[in-house]
Amino acid sequence: MGTAFVLLVGINDYAALSPAADPALGSLGGCVNDIRAARGWLEGRLDGPPPRILELTDGEATVAAVTDALRTHLGQAGPGDTALFWYAGHGTEFAATERAHLYVEPTGYCQALVCADGILIDKDLGVLLDGVASGGAHTAAVLDSCFSGGATRLGDDLVRRALPHDPSWPAYGDPGPRAGGPRARDVPAPAETARHVLLAACRVNEASYEDGHGAGRHGLFTRALLGALRDMGRGATYRQVLAAAGSRVRSATEHQNPVLYPADPGGVADRAVLGGAADRPLSPHLLLHGPDGWQVDCGGTHGLSSGPEGTRDDSGTEFSVVGTGRDGDAGGVVRVRAVEPLRALVTPVGWTPEPVRIYPVALSALALPPASVVVDGGDRALLDAIDAAPLLRLADGGAGSGTGHGQVFKVVVQDDGQARVLRRDGTDATAPLPAHRVPDCLVHLTRWHQLRDLANPASPLASLVDVEVSVWNGERILPDGHGEIRCAYADGREPLVSVRIHNRSHDRTLWCVLLDLTDSYASHSGLFSGHFIGPGRTGYALGNAPVRLSLPESRTAEPGAFVRDWLKLIVAEGEFSTVPFRLAPWSADAPPAARGGEEDHVLRFTRPPHAGRDAGPAGPGGGGPGGVGAAPGQWHALTIPLRTVVPE
């Protein structure tokens, strides 16, 4: 194992930035305790050479000192090394005015860490950290600061870690007090693969808190995070540790929700904390204990349902624990007793989970209308395999077939052992495939259709958000008479478009994700992977870069050729993960999905969050009623069919 380079910054004393009339206004009591506790954990946890730790506290933690330490101290880390930045102190926010900021800040606000003498903007911090990662080091950041109207007390203990922004504060990269110092543009552009992982105390619009007395005062997040790290031990992933810490924080306050970024499945979020190989099974769902009892981070926003029988024990949705390396855990079942927008409250069946642990789970019984399948030909083994899949049911092909709400497919098995999978209208859903791959194909297609058809038509959010597709640097493209947006090749060139998401509400900040579902039965969230959009604000797909529409390599761009996409906008009052909404294209040549303890042929979801956090004054998008801090109780989904054509 390489060397761990660690930068710990804790600031309790903000006298230099506080108003002269009340120099103690911004003071905190737990930030230095936080980084000292983090140091104790690091020194007892890391293998290999002793960690090289640099501490900056209170007045030492100027903007220049922090940025220089990020570049020079953490910048020493190379391939095989680990770089960790841990910050405890105030955060702030301010209105975004630069066009480049507005492209990536759809809330209309920028966030920043408040150093002893000024601010370090989150985007500049991200450049610095990715610059460290570009040198090959595994790079992580823990930020325990927040977003609010000031350092006010709640009850007797909780104090918000936030300061209202003062425009006179200098920022990283400003000419002025630190003229000649490091500037954002001086940082080398990181490689495309360079990316740090962030563990944040709260969402971008929320406050983080500290509590306790005297020497025992700490940030809620730091205390919860260190507790989770100690309890879960080595090999736990960032995703699992963040889920455990988040549950502990929410037990103390419902106003603070820790987040992880980036949360892409199989990426840095699923690596062991501070590098190395994870020894836990990867799973898009986690079972954890919270203030309301046991819960799974999957809810109605993801399309989960309790089924037509409501909460009856014999007809609900179930999750099963996948292998955890401990006897008695694998195969443990929890049954859904209530479905909320972002979570499901569950009851363990026949076992007793440990409240301090986080369990990876898989969806093993899904209370959604299954697809009806009519089979013409084939043997008993094929019929049994279809009948065994939770998302499929055999139909007799009579008049009543396919009258439910699920999809309807017909399978025709030919004499040569190949099979055709047909839609309800008799057209081929896929190319012919070996008969033994039919069950896998039907499950994949059913999951894809569930994503495409996900809807909540009665939602009060239905008319608040609009998706606009425009010719690049041109006019908006309106749907044709078939309800499709048509984009055409011109002179052999693929069409370029811009995609914008407009929040037309006057008082609601909403979380938005834009999926691209393709006619190869794939789904991804690369266009707009999830962000809060403020009232009257706009989110830009790809940060307002052009979106290139083209035929896949398997289709020749000849007159009459076309490809279809469905842009799926999902809007909610609270954030949710994009992990469950991703599907690779269907291919009969891909290895069959393994069947085992993890039920991998059902529609599965998770909630690993994203987004930055930090803090600032309450305002549009603040934690009041109707803002992003409100309990996520409503969601809406909108589908925009899109066809890319080569003109005749």
Side-chain angles (χ1 to χ4, degrees):
M1 180 178 179
T3 301
F5 294 85
V6 181
L7 174 60
L8 303 175
V9 177
I11 309 174
N12 287 337
D13 184 1
Y14 281 92
L17 291 177
S18 299
D22 189 356
L25 177 63
S27 63
L28 295 168
C31 299
V32 175
N33 289 342
D34 284 352
I35 64 166
R36 298 281 162 77
R39 180 170 192 152
W41 174 77
L42 286 164
E43 291 176 336
R45 185 261 184 200
L46 294 175
D47 296 322
R52 298 177 60 177
I53 300 175
L54 173 62
E55 282 189 15
L56 296 174
T57 60
D58 293 333
E60 300 173 332
T62 63
V63 177
V66 173
T67 54
D68 182 67
L70 285 163
R71 298 180 65 191
T72 60
H73 181 65
L74 295 190
Q76 300 175 78
D81 294 334
T82 299
L84 172 64
F85 174 53
W86 195 307
Y87 172 87
H90 276 308
T92 193
E93 74 167 354
F94 55 93
T97 56
E98 297 182 24
R99 186 177 299 274
H101 287 174
L102 289 171
Y103 288 156
V104 295
E105 293 287 1
T107 61
Y109 291 87
C110 291
Q111 293 76 43
L113 306 184
V114 184
C115 297
D117 64 342
I119 60 173
L120 177 55
I121 299 173
D122 59 353
K123 285 169 285 298
D124 294 332
L125 174 61
V127 170
L128 289 164
L129 291 170
D130 279 343
V132 174
S134 68
H138 176 74
T139 306
V142 176
L143 304 182
D144 196 347
S145 63
C146 72
F147 217 39
S148 75
T152 56
R153 292 184 176 271
L154 295 179
D156 296 328
D157 295 322
L158 293 183
V159 172
R160 298 184 180 184
R161 288 185 170 179
L163 279 178
H165 179 254
D166 186 332
S168 67
W169 290 346
Y172 170 55
D174 280 352
R178 289 176 306 284
R183 303 170 65 89
R185 63 171 176 266
D186 296 330
V187 179
E192 284 189 61
T193 55
R195 176 63 65 87
H196 65 277
V197 61
L198 170 66
L199 298 169
C202 58
R203 295 173 182 163
V204 69
N205 56 291
E206 291 179 336
S208 68
Y209 300 93
E210 64 172 46
D211 70 353
H213 301 278
R217 195 165 193 83
H218 284 282
L220 295 184
F221 178 60
T222 294
R223 181 185 288 114
L225 180 60
L226 290 174
L229 287 167
R230 293 188 181 101
D231 288 342
M232 300 189 74
R234 301 168 188 258
T237 67
Y238 288 104
R239 189 188 308 280
Q240 292 165 334
V241 168
L242 193 281
S247 176
R248 297 176 188 216
V249 169
R250 286 186 289 271
S251 295
T253 174
E254 62 183 14
H255 303 294
Q256 181 175 342
N257 293 275
V259 295
L260 173 69
Y261 180 82
D264 298 334
V268 66
D270 290 313
R271 290 187 62 181
V273 174
L274 299 186
D279 64 0
R280 315 296 173 88
L282 300 182
S283 172
H285 307 300
L286 298 173
L287 169 68
L288 61 152
H289 196 269
D292 302 323
W294 287 102
Q295 58 189 270
V296 173
D297 50 1
C298 173
T301 299
H302 307 109
L304 192 65
S305 169
S306 296
E309 302 296 327
T311 57
R312 283 180 50 189
D313 288 343
D314 59 354
S315 62
T317 297
E318 292 182 353
F319 292 85
S320 296
V321 176
V322 297
T324 62
R326 298 194 188 184
D327 294 340
D329 289 345
V333 171
V334 292
R335 182 168 297 144
V336 173
R337 57 184 173 86
V339 175
E340 297 183 357
L342 295 177
R343 64 175 183 168
L345 302 180
V346 299
T347 301
V349 179
W351 67 302
T352 304
E354 300 175 32
V356 298
R357 291 186 55 201
I358 302 296
Y359 297 86
V361 295
L363 194 58
S364 54
L366 182 62
L368 283 177
S372 296
V373 183
V374 177
V375 181
D376 183 357
D379 55 19
R380 186 72 250 171
L382 175 61
L383 297 177
D384 289 343
I386 292 173
D387 199 39
L391 292 184
L392 307 176
R393 70 177 178 192
L394 286 171
D396 58 15
S401 298
T403 57
H405 299 291
Q407 293 296 315
V408 177
F409 298 104
K410 182 175 182 179
V411 177
V412 179
V413 181
Q414 303 171 155
D415 292 339
D416 60 0
Q418 294 289 100
R420 296 173 62 199
V421 176
L422 308 178
R423 304 182 184 92
R424 186 193 295 261
D425 61 3
T427 59
D428 286 287
T430 69
L433 68 159
H436 71 276
R437 295 303 313 276
V438 166
D440 290 321
C441 177
L442 291 173
V443 168
H444 187 104
L445 268 57
T446 300
R447 293 176 64 198
W448 185 89
H449 280 92
Q450 287 174 342
L451 292 179
R452 190 196 65 177
D453 299 336
L454 181 66
N456 187 13
S459 171
L461 309 183
S463 61
L464 298 185
V465 182
D466 179 37
V467 176
E468 175 185 301
V469 180
S470 303
V471 176
W472 181 246
N473 292 327
E475 296 181 351
R476 180 172 185 174
I477 306 172
L478 298 176
D480 61 16
H482 301 286
E484 285 187 329
I485 290 178
R486 184 178 182 276
C487 301
Y489 276 61
D491 300 324
R493 297 191 302 272
E494 303 100 328
L496 298 179
V497 299
S498 61
V499 180
R500 301 182 176 94
I501 305 170
H502 302 294
N503 182 351
R504 303 194 182 282
S505 69
H506 299 293
D507 58 356
R508 291 182 186 237
T509 298
L510 299 170
W511 179 263
C512 299
V513 169
L514 187 65
L515 306 175
D516 181 10
L517 288 91
T518 72
D519 59 8
S520 59
Y521 301 109
S523 174
H524 69 84
S525 59
L527 294 178
F528 194 82
S529 60
H531 208 296
F532 287 108
I533 301 180
R537 299 285 182 175
T538 298
Y540 297 83
L542 302 183
N544 205 35
V547 177
R548 184 182 301 274
L549 304 176
S550 62
L551 271 67
E553 294 181 359
S554 60
R555 304 183 201 179
T556 304
E558 58 187 10
F562 68 90
V563 65
R564 299 186 70 192
D565 293 81
W566 290 261
L567 302 182
K568 185 79 177 189
L569 175 69
I570 304 176
V571 181
E573 291 178 308
E575 71 177 300
F576 54 88
S577 171
T578 61
V579 173
F581 298 100
R582 300 176 190 177
L583 284 174
W586 162 252
S587 172
D589 297 327
R595 297 175 183 269
E598 179 181 1
E599 178 56 75
D600 51 13
H601 292 302
V602 289
L603 187 60
R604 295 173 295 167
F605 301 98
T606 192
R607 181 183 172 257
H610 132 340
R613 18 77 70 213
D614 300 2
V628 288
Q634 301 292 343
W635 65 277
H636 176 60
L638 173 69
T639 305
I640 303 98
L642 189 151
R643 185 186 296 261
T644 303
V645 302
V646 180
E648 295 284 358

